[in-house]
């Protein structure tokens, strides 16, 4: 997927690769001057691994949004509401009522602590910080271990659903257990 080639006009190595969108498209990344071929190829392999994991830079994500004609992406609150309303039909009244309060509360970590507004801003580091916040609350006695585990599992479940239903390009906490 990642093509690494020498651009004679610019005297630089260039990576060309496909970004996912409604209609997939190729994009390029021009590497700094003076970079060796082996370093360029190493960066190309790392880029390929990032793409396979669904990790994108802000600039790449912006390009994808433009290609998808979405212009803007979802806020965290909109994404949580979408999850709650879309999955409600499969749940009991009691479970729906519980999730209506629990899920927005769990995602306040991202909006209040991390100061994020948009869904696509949630990165792996934020999910890891969220997990560490749950661990801290166990050590201070604020939460029981089972409550903290269930809370983090809820965050992971919602992020997974958003990814599977193409609301986000990748699941930022996929590798965090």
């Amino acid at each position: 997927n990642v093509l690494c080639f020498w651009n004679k006009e610019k005297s630089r190595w260039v990576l060309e690769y496909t970004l996912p969108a409604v209609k997939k498209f190729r994009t390029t990344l021009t590497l700094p001057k003076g970079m060796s071929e082996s370093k360029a190829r190493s960066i190309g392999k790392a880029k390929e691994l990032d793409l396979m994991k669904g990790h994108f830079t802000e600039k790449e994500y912006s390009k994808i949004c433009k290609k998808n004609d979405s212009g803007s992406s979802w806020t965290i609150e909109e994404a949580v509401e979408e999850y709650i309303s879309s999955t409600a039909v499969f749940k009991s009244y009691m479970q729906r009522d519980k999730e209506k309060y629990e899920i927005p509360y769990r995602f306040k970590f991202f909006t209040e602590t991390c100061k994020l507004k948009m869904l696509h801003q949630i990165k792996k580091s934020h999910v890891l910080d969220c997990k560490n916040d749950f661990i801290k609350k166990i050590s201070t006695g604020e939460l029981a271990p089972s409550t903290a585990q269930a809370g983090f599992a809820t965050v992971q479940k919602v992020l997974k659903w958003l990814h599977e239903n193409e609301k986000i390009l990748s699941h930022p906490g996929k590798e965090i257990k």
Side-chain angles (χ1 to χ4, degrees):
N1 185 16
V2 177
L3 176 66
C4 184
F5 63 92
W6 178 257
N7 183 319
K8 288 182 184 177
E9 293 172 10
K10 294 183 178 182
S11 298
R12 293 174 187 234
W13 286 97
V14 176
L15 301 178
E16 183 181 276
Y17 50 95
T18 303
L19 288 175
V22 172
K23 293 181 181 176
K24 290 183 179 184
F25 64 100
R26 301 286 286 175
T27 190
T28 59
L29 172 64
T30 304
L31 300 175
K33 258 188 174 166
M35 186 171 287
S36 69
E37 179 180 0
S38 63
K39 181 69 175 170
R41 294 203 182 282
S42 172
I43 291 171
K45 287 180 183 175
K47 175 49 93 179
E48 193 158 17
L49 287 173
D50 280 348
L51 292 170
M52 287 171 34
K53 292 178 182 176
H55 298 165
F56 306 102
T57 65
E58 290 290 325
K59 190 174 181 180
E60 289 167 341
Y61 190 83
S62 176
K63 286 181 181 180
I64 293 166
C65 288
K66 286 178 185 166
K67 276 289 186 194
N68 283 342
D69 295 326
S70 62
S72 63
S73 76
W74 293 44
T75 66
I76 294 170
E77 289 84 5
E78 289 170 337
V80 166
E81 284 301 315
E82 176 69 13
Y83 171 82
I84 292 169
S85 64
S86 295
T87 60
V89 70
F90 304 108
K91 298 176 180 172
S92 70
Y93 174 76
M94 285 178 51
Q95 191 175 9
R96 285 193 309 259
D97 199 43
K98 177 186 169 219
E99 284 189 350
K100 185 168 63 174
Y101 298 102
E102 179 191 3
I103 294 173
Y105 176 74
R106 299 295 181 205
F107 274 79
K108 278 188 179 186
F109 175 83
F110 299 110
T111 57
E112 294 178 3
T113 305
C114 300
K115 305 286 187 222
L116 304 175
K117 182 173 173 53
M118 306 307 286
L119 181 63
H120 74 271
Q121 293 175 309
I122 300 175
K123 304 290 182 219
K124 182 179 179 180
S125 62
H126 298 118
V127 178
L128 190 57
D129 289 345
C130 178
K131 178 181 179 178
N132 289 335
D133 187 61
F134 277 113
I135 292 169
K136 183 177 133 192
K137 287 178 180 178
I138 293 169
S139 64
T140 62
E142 194 176 331
L143 289 176
S146 59
T147 305
Q149 187 176 8
F152 186 67
T154 297
V155 169
Q156 289 285 61
K157 173 180 71 173
V158 173
L159 291 172
K160 180 182 177 187
W161 183 90
L162 291 167
H163 173 63
E164 288 173 351
N165 289 275
E166 301 176 357
K167 309 299 182 203
I168 51 176
L169 294 172
S170 65
H171 178 344
K174 183 178 184 179
E175 298 166 356
I176 300 171
K177 302 292 176 213

